[in-house]
Amino acid sequence: MAEPSPVRCAVIGTKNIAAQHIPVLQALPEAEVAALCDIDPEAVEETSRRFGVAQTFTSLEELEAWGEFDAVYVLVSVLAVAEVAERFIRAGIPTFLEKPPGLYSSDTERLAEAVRETGTTAMVGLNRRFYSCLQAGREALLDTGDVVSVTVHADEVGTTHWEGPKFPPEVAMRWAYANSIHALDLLRYLGGDVANVTSLVRRRGLPKPDSFSALLEYESGAVGRAISEHFGPKGTGHFYEARTQRAVLTSRSGLSSCVLEARGREPVEFGLTGLDRRLKPGFPGESRAFLRAVQAGEAVSFPAPTLDDAVRTMKMIDGITGAEEWAPKPTS
Ligand SMILES: NC(=O)c1ccc[n+]([C@@H]2O[C@H](COP(=O)([O-])OP(=O)(O)OC[C@H]3O[C@@H](n4cnc5c(N)ncnc54)[C@H](O)[C@@H]3O)[C@@H](O)[C@H]2O)c1
């Protein structure tokens, strides 16, 4: 059977994280980077030169009028993701969205609704699920039985996002959604859907709640523990541990390896493999999942996060942080 044609991708938002996604798309046979679009002409020009992509646009309208693309990668500033993505989802154009899809669960629900109404293929970039070491480690863990507990630390260096110039205050307030979501989402990747969350929320190092300690009850009956403190020194960060009755899987070196220790067996270490070794880990796997779904004209499937899946992760984070109380969506 003939190979399907590469998916012609328009990359929207061409700065920081785009410089990690573009080399991945250029390395995958399933993709072609057809065009770049950014409202900042300098950003788009520099990225065009750096990655040799000639077709550029400085507005969504120009990009849409050109129209020679099959899918979009929405890699714009946090507060712009939901609006830009909804426009393309509603137009029926397969859409990859960087996280967080919306800064509020209600925004992500709106996007999920747009996908339900249109049937457009869409996927959220919760890329830790695609770390090759974690995928292999999770499979080996599940071979030892059902998961009975998951512990995740999603700690952050508080001052960089709070004091630095890059993030608007609204994003800094909801940093658990803007960044800690990467690790917190692993609670669901490793343990499944969550039925109940009980949390203690404190204010410690920042002038907002920044210490979250939660107990989770999974629908399976397993338990979860989520810890997220946003005032750590550099070098502390994201970590997971998942247990069956016979084994424990623990992340190492940031998240770039993990170790399975099972009763009566030598420990087994899982490292990054394939393109994860030279490109941003998780990005090759997540893009392959998205692009193959686009080629097949289907929705993405587990572990690829759909918008509905992202809503469930964000609602779990609502329970962990209580942020709907202290940082609700401003009424316009
Ligand atoms: N997966 C990860 O590990 C990871 C890491 C960093 C950032 N991110 C996510 O990627 C996204 C982008 O982050 P970044 O650090 O690259 O941001 P950035 O600020 O460096 O770049 C965003 C770009 O989007 C452009 N932009 C904003 N609104 C636009 C619009 N309406 N149309 C076209 N262009 C627009 C800006 O001009 C800017 O060039 C965010 O959602 C962020 O949360 C993900």
Side-chain angles (χ1 to χ4, degrees):
M1 214 169 72
E3 287 295 307
S5 312
V7 177
R8 292 169 303 164
C9 301
V11 173
I12 307 173
T14 62
K15 237 184 229 168
N16 171 37
I17 207 63
Q20 308 281 346
H21 277 289
I22 293 168
V24 170
L25 295 177
Q26 291 181 328
L28 292 176
E30 292 89 348
E32 177 193 321
V33 182
L36 304 175
C37 176
D38 197 301
I39 50 175
D40 175 350
E42 277 177 32
V44 82
E45 202 182 305
E46 194 195 317
T47 306
S48 157
R49 250 186 284 114
R50 182 167 167 198
F51 294 102
V53 181
Q55 195 71 57
T56 62
F57 300 95
T58 51
S59 79
L60 299 178
E61 291 75 18
E62 288 170 33
L63 172 70
E64 285 169 322
W66 176 67
E68 291 177 32
F69 54 95
D70 308 310
V72 289
Y73 270 66
V74 178
L75 315 179
V76 297
S77 324
V78 177
L79 288 174
V81 172
E83 194 182 329
V84 173
E86 186 171 1
R87 176 175 181 146
F88 288 97
I89 291 170
R90 290 222 171 264
I93 295 172
T95 301
F96 176 94
L97 303 80
E98 255 304 348
K99 57 75 212 168
L103 193 55
Y104 303 86
S105 299
S106 55
D107 292 333
T108 306
E109 277 179 326
R110 202 180 66 237
L111 293 167
E113 184 60 34
V115 169
R116 274 193 294 278
E117 285 171 20
T118 57
T120 305
T121 302
M123 173 175 164
V124 180
L126 293 167
N127 65 297
R128 271 50 168 187
R129 293 184 185 194
F130 286 90
Y131 272 45
S132 38
C133 52
L134 173 54
Q135 290 197 333
R138 177 180 176 275
E139 209 175 298
L141 176 74
L142 294 179
D143 280 345
T144 71
D146 294 335
V147 170
V148 294
S149 75
V150 183
T151 303
V152 163
H153 267 262
D155 297 326
E156 305 280 352
V157 183
T159 45
T160 43
H161 67 275
W162 190 255
E163 289 166 5
K166 178 162 175 171
F167 297 102
E170 196 180 349
V171 175
M173 276 299 270
R174 295 178 69 91
W175 196 242
Y177 302 84
N179 199 59
S180 322
I181 191 171
H182 274 313
L184 295 173
D185 176 65
L186 296 182
L187 287 157
R188 292 188 55 252
Y189 177 58
L190 288 162
D193 276 330
V194 172
N196 288 302
V197 181
T198 313
S199 190
L200 291 176
V201 177
R202 297 287 183 267
R203 213 178 95 173
R204 300 294 189 209
L206 298 175
K208 62 149 189 168
D210 57 0
S211 166
F212 312 103
S213 307
L215 281 178
L216 281 56
E217 187 180 358
Y218 286 99
E219 286 178 1
S220 66
V223 296
R225 307 167 196 104
I227 297 142
S228 190
E229 297 193 309
H230 291 192
F231 44 85
K234 201 165 169 31
T236 59
H238 295 180
F239 165 88
Y240 59 81
E241 178 191 278
R243 287 178 184 266
T244 63
Q245 286 182 34
R246 291 187 43 227
V248 54
L249 180 73
T250 314
S251 63
R252 299 272 161 91
S253 320
L255 300 182
S256 62
S257 71
C258 55
V259 173
L260 184 77
E261 292 162 280
R263 268 207 310 272
R265 288 196 222 154
E266 287 298 309
V268 184
E269 179 158 6
F270 299 92
L272 297 171
T273 55
L275 289 176
D276 272 359
R277 289 166 64 87
R278 71 175 171 88
L279 297 166
K280 188 162 164 73
F283 278 30
E286 69 176 2
S287 267
R288 212 178 274 122
F290 172 67
L291 295 162
R292 288 183 180 173
V294 175
Q295 286 174 325
E298 291 169 355
V300 295
S301 53
F302 184 83
T306 60
L307 263 310
D308 273 329
D309 198 352
V311 168
R312 286 197 284 276
T313 288
M314 290 188 67
K315 290 200 166 215
M316 175 190 72
I317 300 177
D318 290 341
I320 295 169
T321 62
E324 291 306 301
E325 299 293 318
W326 50 265
K329 190 172 165 64
T331 43
S332 50

